Each structure stands twice: as C-alpha cells, then as structure tokens.
Amino acid sequence: HSPAAHIRRVPVPLLVTYGSDEPSEFLRQSDEFLADWTRAGNRGTFLPQMGRNHFTAITDLAVPESALCQAIFDVMGHAPRPTSRARLSAVPSVAHLTAARTG
C-alpha cells in the first residue's frame, strides 16, 4: 500500500529528504514519490543529506542554521528568527527533565 497511490493535488508544498548513507531503495522510493507528487501538480523539493541515514537525518532539526532547517523554512515561506545561544542553553534537556522527575 504505497502512499504514492493516494496522492492528490493539494496547496501544501512537500520537502522530501534522504540521507546519502541510506540503502539505494530508499532513494529510489523518495525520487519516485516526489516525481508522482509533482506530476499531480503539487510543489515539492528534494534535499539530499550527505553522510546521514534513517536515524541521523533528523539531528539537524535542532540547528536552525542547518540546511535541513533552512529547507523547511523555505518550504514554509518563513525566514528563521535569529537564535541566541544563551536562549537555547536555557532550554532544559531531556536528561535534565528526566532527572527532575525521578530525583
């Protein structure tokens, strides 16, 4: 049951990203889905991520200046807000929150 079988025209753009360390079948499926998406009249963009795989492809979501975040901002039509390292360091970490709950 391929998601490509359910593509319809929508006003929302799509970002397809793929890690270069993925198996070639994942790249083929990503390319095919994006081709089907655009063939249906939708807007879509492809972002290859060099040196990434299925598990590490999302790590740059924590870095607003990364190519991944920039591509997401572009698809959304947003300019990213400047980040402050001090503001980011004030955000509690998962380990900190877990320790606070169990401590």
Side-chain angles (χ1 to χ4, degrees):
H1 301 322
S2 171
H6 304 284
I7 293 174
R8 59 186 166 77
R9 187 164 169 78
V10 296
V12 180
L14 174 72
L15 173 64
V16 174
T17 186
Y18 169 85
S20 67
D21 292 349
E22 297 280 8
S24 60
E25 180 60 14
F26 288 3
L27 174 59
R28 187 198 65 75
Q29 291 172 11
S30 297
D31 282 343
E32 184 177 298
F33 188 85
L34 185 57
D36 291 343
W37 180 262
T38 56
R39 201 172 7 264
N42 298 310
R43 292 179 296 139
T45 305
F46 184 72
L47 173 70
Q49 294 188 66
M50 301 310 295
R52 301 296 180 151
N53 62 41
H54 217 63
F55 302 102
T56 61
I58 64 168
T59 57
D60 282 344
L61 288 173
V63 183
E65 299 82 16
S66 69
L68 176 59
C69 283
Q70 293 302 310
I72 292 168
F73 293 138
D74 288 348
V75 167
M76 293 170 56
H78 280 293
R81 288 184 288 174
T83 58
S84 159
R85 291 290 173 206
R87 186 169 52 92
L88 289 176
S89 65
V91 176
S93 68
V94 172
H96 175 77
L97 294 173
T98 303
R101 266 197 279 163
T102 60

